[in-house]
Amino acid sequence: MNLAAATNENLANASNTLIYSSMAVYMLAFFAHIAEWVLGSRSKVGRTAAALKADSTVGSSTVKVQVAQQGGTAVLERPEVITRSAAGTRDVPDGPGAAGGTFKGDLWGRIAVALTVVAFAVQAAGVVARALSVQRAPWGNMYEFSITFSTVAVGAYLVLLALKKNVRWIGLLLVTTVLLDLGVATTWLYTDSDQLVPALHSYWLWIHVSTAILCGAVFYLGAVGTLLYLFRDSYENKLANGGTPGKFATSVLERLPAAKSLDTFSYRINAAVFPLWTFTIIAGAIWAGDAWGRYWGWDPKEVWSFITWVAYAAYLHARATAGWKGRKAAYLALAAFGCWLFNYYGVNIFVTGKHSYAGV
């Protein structure tokens, strides 16, 4: 074995070690997030923060003005104005977050985020080591795609946190998903480091696949927001109709952002990344023209990429149409993300096409 081959093998082994190490740190972050939610459930703030405002008026704006008398002069304090974006929406404040407004819960939440940052750095180093071991982009098969996908998903989450966005409620679901993703990747999808077929030796591999990974990671965050929106919306509906949610639902759902906030978050995330998904398909077509001599050939991967594009386009159109706001549009968003998942897992595993030469 020559020196170069030995170096590549050492890098591949280092990559595997780093990926497994990141899983260990993610597990610690998972337990820290659990502690944050458990401690937050004991907070009085967490038990009452999501209650509906008793003085809100459906379909209108409410203005409260307090007048303080100072001698003979009336002083108007700043009024509280509650506005509505559409008929039928509820004016419900965002919940206090997983920590429930408690100091201990917030401390564990910060520990969870810190551990997530460490795990992300270790996992990213593992992806880089994998790339160095094969001297190419580290997404030539499903194993490499999976470890890169979860790395980018965590990175996108941390960027939102760094921008001071209220997204820490995603943490537990994200870390759980990453652990499942890495578990599947290392157990069933693992492929030894190897070179790709000549058709993939192109700079388009860096452009096309990297944008596909970024789109999938951001679409995932949007799907999490959409799913939680459906649960939170049902919770708010039950409260508005005089119902009494169960203790578990009350403990968890009241600490999430309001349904309106979750809906807005998901819409903005999906709308922001949709143009990049459009570019991904265009870049893939250009690469196909270089590699196979045609831009479009109805290959299963091409077909499902286009189906995913149509599904998200339909969602964005429906979301911008008054009659399809809320739950109907949310179901369409989840169906669109389901198309993306099938495009990745289903097509790669169960369907044979021109994209099958990389194996799993």
Side-chain angles (χ1 to χ4, degrees):
M1 180 181 296
N2 57 39
L3 180 59
T7 301
N8 292 341
E9 183 178 355
N10 290 335
L11 286 170
N13 293 333
S15 172
N16 296 339
T17 301
L18 288 168
I19 294 299
Y20 281 109
S21 299
S22 71
M23 293 175 67
V25 183
Y26 278 126
M27 184 62 70
L28 294 176
F30 170 80
F31 286 120
H33 276 299
I34 290 292
E36 178 187 18
W37 280 95
V38 170
L39 291 171
S41 68
R42 302 174 183 176
S43 166
K44 182 178 180 181
V45 175
R47 291 194 301 270
T48 59
L52 292 171
K53 290 190 175 183
D55 59 346
S56 63
T57 304
V58 177
S60 62
S61 298
T62 302
V63 180
K64 298 181 180 180
V65 181
Q66 294 182 350
V67 180
Q69 292 289 341
Q70 296 182 357
T73 304
V75 179
L76 296 179
E77 296 183 0
R78 179 177 297 177
E80 177 186 358
V81 181
I82 303 173
T83 60
R84 300 178 185 276
S85 61
T89 58
R90 295 174 299 271
D91 295 319
V92 180
D94 289 345
T102 64
F103 173 79
K104 288 185 178 179
D106 182 68
L107 176 62
W108 279 105
R110 293 176 183 276
I111 291 173
V113 171
L115 289 170
T116 302
V117 171
V118 174
F120 166 77
V122 174
Q123 185 182 6
V127 172
V128 171
R130 177 78 176 196
L132 293 175
S133 71
V134 291
Q135 299 179 4
R136 58 168 172 78
W139 40 74
N141 50 61
M142 287 186 69
Y143 169 73
E144 295 173 355
F145 191 101
S146 293
I147 62 175
T148 307
F149 167 78
S150 54
T151 303
V152 175
V154 175
Y157 165 72
L158 294 177
V159 167
L160 291 175
L161 284 178
L163 294 175
K164 307 298 183 183
K165 303 299 182 181
N166 176 25
V167 295
R168 206 164 83 184
W169 44 271
I170 298 178
L172 179 58
L173 282 175
L174 175 65
V175 170
T176 302
T177 304
V178 169
L179 285 171
L180 291 173
D181 174 73
L182 293 179
V184 170
T186 55
T187 304
W188 291 296
L189 302 180
Y190 181 77
T191 303
D192 290 330
S193 299
D194 200 2
Q195 294 303 315
L196 300 175
V197 297
L200 292 182
H201 286 288
S202 169
Y203 60 88
W204 285 106
L205 176 66
W206 291 92
I207 299 172
H208 170 63
V209 184
S210 64
T211 54
I213 292 172
L214 178 59
C215 288
V218 179
F219 280 149
Y220 163 78
L221 296 180
V224 171
T226 301
L227 183 63
L228 293 179
Y229 157 76
L230 291 173
F231 285 106
R232 172 75 187 204
D233 184 64
S234 296
Y235 169 77
E236 292 180 7
N237 277 332
K238 196 165 189 176
L239 287 177
N241 294 326
T244 304
K247 291 183 178 180
F248 177 80
T250 301
S251 173
V252 174
L253 297 178
E254 71 181 0
R255 285 180 277 163
L256 293 175
K260 179 182 175 182
S261 298
L262 290 170
D263 183 43
T264 302
F265 167 80
S266 302
Y267 172 67
R268 288 177 177 174
I269 284 287
N270 290 326
V273 80
F274 179 73
L276 189 59
W277 181 248
T278 304
F279 170 78
T280 301
I281 296 176
I282 295 173
I286 296 173
W287 188 12
D290 291 342
W292 301 320
R294 93 288 188 278
Y295 294 103
W296 190 267
W298 299 103
D299 180 74
K301 181 70 71 172
E302 296 169 349
V303 170
W304 276 95
S305 295
F306 179 67
I307 290 174
T308 302
W309 184 91
V310 171
Y312 272 108
Y315 159 72
L316 293 175
H317 174 73
R319 181 61 178 75
T321 303
W324 276 78
K325 290 185 182 295
R327 299 183 70 87
K328 290 181 180 180
Y331 291 135
L332 191 52
L334 291 180
F337 184 68
C339 291
W340 189 92
L341 285 179
F342 183 80
N343 184 35
Y344 173 52
Y345 285 103
V347 173
N348 284 21
I349 296 175
F350 302 112
V351 183
T352 300
K354 283 186 173 294
H355 289 77
S356 303
Y357 42 56
V360 297

